[in-house]
Amino acid sequence: MKLGSPFRPRLLSALLFSIFLGSAPATPAQERGELRIATSYKLMTLDPQYANLNENTSLLSHIYERLVYQDDNLELKPGLATSWRPLSDTQWAFKLRDKVRFHDGSAFDADDVVYTIERIRDFLKPPSGGFRSYVSGIKSVSAPDPLTVLIETDGAVPNLPLFFSSIFVMNRPSEGFETTEDLNAGHPPNGTGPYRFESWSSGESLRLARNDDYWGGKPAWSKVTFRVIENPAARVAALSTGEVDVADAIPARDVASLKERGARVASVGAARVNFVQFDVARDTLPGVTDKSGEPIANPFKNPLVRRALTLATDRGILVDKILAGYGTAAAQVFPNGLPGTSAKLLPEAPNYDEAKMLLAKAGFPDGFNLVLAGPAGRYPGDAESLQAVAQSWARIGVNAQPAAAPFSVFNTKRAAGDYGVWYGGTSGEAVDIILHTLLASPDPERGAGALNFGKYRNEAFDAMLARAESIAVGPERNAALAQATELVMADQPIIPLYHFHHIVGYGSRIGSYVLHPRGWTTAMQTRPAME
C-alpha cells in the first residue's frame, strides 16, 4: 500500500454528462428489457426531500432530478438548470432547461423550483433536519419568467449552486404542500427523471419503468427493479447465480471469487472518510480508566495524547488486510486530489516509539484503558477496524476494548454521550460541508458541528473555514479549504483512517458500470452489453 497515493479521478466527462443528468440514449443494439439490481440501500421514503441519506437520494434519482449535478471530479455541471450566476453578494439567477416535462405530462418551469425551495424551508420538519440547511439562508425566491429563478439570500452564500446539487425538484401541486405521508401512501412520485415510478415495497423492492419522453434521450432499460438485499453474502450469491445483473457494496474479500465466476467488478475511491473521534469536552469519560480500572481525567483533552494515538494507528493494516486493497489511507476528510484537499497532508506510517514518548510526556507513561466503540455492518470493515486499531494501540500501553453494535444502537448511544472515543464515518458533497459538519465548533443556529459529537472547538479553524466558505467556488476557495484542513488536522480532533472504495459487481448483460465517488447505485450508471 502506498500511504500517500493520491486520488486519481477518471477522465470520463462525456460519458458522465449523460450518466448523471439521466441516461444516455439507447441504440437498438443496446436496448434491453429489465435491469435487475441487488442493493444494500433500503429506501426509507418516497418523499425526495425528507431524508438526506444516500439510500434515498441514490434510488430516487431515477425519478427526480436536481438543478445542478456533480461529475466524478465533484465539479458542478448543468442539470435542470442550464446556467447560474451571482447578481450580487446576496442575489443569484438560475436559467432553467426548456421543454422538460414531468412524468404526468405537465411542463417543468420556475414555479416548481420556487415550490421546492419553499417546501423544504417552510413546510417539512423531518427529525434529522433533512435538506433544510441547504436552503435556510434563502430569504426569498421568485420566478420572473417560466425559465428564470431569482434567489435572494440573507448573506453571502457563494456555494449556493453546490447546495442545489443535492436537492430534488418536485412538481408544484394545484394547492398547498404535499405531505410525506401522502407521498408514502400511494400518490405516485412525479419527477422529470429518466424512469417512472411503478411500485415500492418498503425494505424489499422498487420497480421503475422507462420514461420514453425523457428530455435527455430514451433510457437504455425498459424496466428497472431494485431488490433490497442487506446481507452482503446474499448480494454476492444473487449476482453469482445470475438472479441479478448488478450488485452494490461488494465486500473486498469477495472480489476474487466473483471474478472467478465470470462477474466483473468496478470500484472507485469514496468521497468520504472513516475515522476515530475523541470526546474532548467532558472532564471524565465512560469507559476510560487507569490500568487498575479507576476513572481518570479525560486524556483526550491533551493534544499530545491524540497525537500519540494517531502515531500508534497502523492504517496500512486497515487498507491492505481488512479492505484487501480497496481503500486509501486517509490524512484528511476527502481523498487527495478532490477539490479542497491539501497535497501536504499524507498518511503517516506508525511510529510506536515516538507515540510512547508523547504519552509519557502527557503524564501517561503506563498508558490507560478505554472502550473503543463503533458500528457493526454499517461500513466496509468497520468491526474488523475496531479490532485492528485496538491491537495497534496496545503496543503503546493503551488497552482498548472494542465495542461494536448495530448502527441504530451505536448511533443512539453516541448521541447520548455513552462513549468517550469511537469509530465513525461521514460523506458529503464537498470538503467544506464535511469540515462544517464534523469539525466546526457546534452551533445549532448555523447548523455547524452537527456530527461534532466530541464537542471539539477551535476558534482559529472556525475563522479560517468561515473565510473559505465566503469565497466563490473555484481554486481560491479550494486553497483556503486546504489551509483550514491543515490547521485542524495538526490538532488531531479525529484520526482519519481510510477512504474505502465503493465496489460494484456486474454480470454478462452489462457492458460497463461507471462508479461515482458519492456512492450512488443507479440504472443510469450501467451500459448494456453489445450483442
Side-chain angles (χ1 to χ4, degrees):
M1 180 200 71
K2 296 179 181 178
L3 289 178
S5 49
F7 176 81
R8 292 181 176 86
R10 292 156 295 140
L11 301 177
L12 295 170
S13 300
L15 178 61
L16 284 160
F17 182 82
S18 62
I19 288 175
F20 292 107
L21 261 74
S23 182
T27 66
Q30 287 179 306
E31 189 170 324
R32 293 294 185 274
E34 182 183 15
L35 174 67
R36 304 158 303 168
I37 300 177
T39 183
S40 59
Y41 288 147
K42 185 177 180 180
L43 184 64
M44 290 179 54
T45 175
L46 292 177
D47 186 338
Q49 298 168 352
Y50 183 78
N52 188 10
L53 297 171
N54 233 21
E55 42 264 66
N56 291 326
T57 57
S58 178
L59 298 179
L60 293 178
S61 66
H62 295 79
I63 302 169
Y64 296 96
E65 295 182 289
R66 307 167 175 91
L67 291 179
V68 182
Y69 87 99
Q70 287 181 295
D71 67 12
D72 71 333
N73 296 323
L74 302 188
E75 301 290 350
L76 300 182
K77 302 294 181 182
L80 289 176
T82 57
S83 65
W84 49 88
R85 63 188 180 94
L87 304 178
S88 69
D89 286 345
T90 59
Q91 291 183 317
W92 285 82
F94 286 77
K95 291 294 183 180
L96 306 183
R97 195 173 295 276
D98 196 8
K99 299 179 181 178
V100 175
R101 293 196 171 273
F102 288 92
H103 296 162
D104 66 357
S106 59
F108 160 72
D109 62 24
D111 282 340
D112 300 305
V113 179
V114 173
Y115 168 78
T116 290
I117 293 171
E118 291 180 342
R119 181 175 187 263
I120 296 171
R121 186 191 63 187
D122 304 330
F123 177 71
L124 285 181
K125 292 181 174 60
S128 65
F131 297 88
R132 183 170 293 177
S133 62
Y134 297 130
V135 298
S136 59
I138 295 178
K139 182 178 180 180
S140 65
V141 54
S142 60
D145 64 65
L147 296 179
T148 303
V149 176
L150 293 181
I151 295 174
E152 183 174 356
T153 59
D154 288 321
V157 186
N159 60 340
L160 187 65
L162 175 65
F163 292 165
F164 285 124
S165 72
S166 290
I167 294 173
F168 288 123
V169 175
M170 293 180 66
N171 183 223
R172 179 187 285 276
S174 56
E175 60 181 34
F177 293 106
E178 285 186 282
T179 68
T180 300
E181 291 73 21
D182 286 343
L183 287 166
N184 288 337
H187 287 202
N190 183 29
T192 61
Y195 291 93
R196 300 170 182 267
F197 174 82
E198 279 204 338
S199 66
W200 170 53
S201 179
S202 179
E204 296 181 10
S205 65
L206 173 68
R207 300 183 186 278
L208 306 164
R210 179 171 56 208
N211 177 13
D212 289 327
D213 298 323
Y214 181 56
W215 63 267
K218 188 176 180 180
W221 305 96
S222 61
K223 300 278 187 180
V224 178
T225 297
F226 282 90
R227 287 176 52 193
V228 179
I229 304 178
E230 295 186 84
N231 183 279
R235 286 196 303 277
V236 169
L239 178 61
S240 299
T241 59
E243 294 178 42
V244 298
D245 304 301
V246 176
D248 67 14
I250 298 295
R253 63 178 178 270
D254 292 318
V255 168
S257 62
L258 270 178
K259 289 181 177 179
E260 289 174 359
R261 299 174 204 170
R264 284 173 288 174
V265 169
S267 68
V268 69
R272 62 173 305 122
V273 65
N274 286 72
F275 53 85
V276 170
Q277 189 172 33
F278 304 104
D279 184 324
V280 299
R282 289 180 286 176
D283 293 333
T284 58
L285 297 174
V288 179
T289 70
D290 63 20
K291 290 299 183 69
S292 65
E294 293 298 318
I296 59 174
N298 181 352
F300 308 129
K301 286 188 174 186
N302 191 329
L304 294 178
V305 173
R306 303 196 297 266
R307 177 61 180 158
L309 292 174
T310 299
L311 285 172
T313 302
D314 190 342
R315 297 172 176 88
I317 289 178
L318 301 178
V319 171
D320 291 340
K321 303 299 183 183
I322 295 173
L323 299 180
Y326 284 91
T328 305
Q332 54 191 312
V333 298
F334 268 7
N336 288 23
L338 288 178
T341 57
S342 169
K344 297 178 182 178
L345 291 175
L346 300 175
E348 299 174 276
N351 187 329
Y352 299 108
D353 290 336
E354 184 177 349
K356 287 180 180 178
M357 287 190 292
L358 289 174
L359 269 188
K361 188 176 180 180
F364 300 97
D366 299 322
F368 51 89
N369 299 336
L370 60 84
V371 173
L372 178 60
R378 175 70 173 179
Y379 310 109
D382 47 15
E384 296 92 336
S385 294
L386 288 182
Q387 296 285 346
V389 170
Q391 290 171 10
S392 290
W393 288 359
R395 296 183 62 170
I396 64 170
V398 175
N399 296 329
Q401 177 187 345
F407 181 72
S408 59
V409 175
F410 163 78
N411 201 35
T412 299
K413 288 189 172 183
R414 179 179 60 177
D418 289 353
Y419 304 134
V421 55
W422 55 89
Y423 163 101
T426 189
S427 64
E429 301 87 343
V431 163
D432 55 298
I433 290 176
I434 300 297
L435 295 175
H436 187 86
T437 304
L438 183 63
L439 297 174
S441 299
D443 185 343
E445 291 187 6
R446 295 193 307 114
L451 296 181
N452 184 354
F453 295 106
K455 307 302 180 187
Y456 172 75
R457 294 182 179 275
N458 186 326
E459 293 182 2
F461 166 69
D462 291 339
M464 290 184 72
L465 179 59
R467 176 186 172 276
E469 291 175 325
S470 71
I471 302 170
V473 173
E476 185 182 354
R477 182 189 184 93
N478 292 339
L481 287 171
Q483 291 172 358
T485 301
E486 291 162 10
L487 182 139
V488 74
M489 288 305 166
D491 205 22
Q492 305 285 179
I494 64 170
I495 303 176
L497 297 178
Y498 52 74
H499 314 286
F500 65 72
H501 290 183
H502 297 296
I503 308 175
V504 168
Y506 56 97
S508 60
R509 296 180 67 232
I510 308 301
S512 64
Y513 189 94
V514 180
L515 274 161
H516 191 277
R518 294 281 300 278
W520 297 316
T521 302
T522 73
M524 294 83 77
Q525 292 163 259
T526 66
R527 288 295 175 269
M530 300 295 288
E531 292 182 339

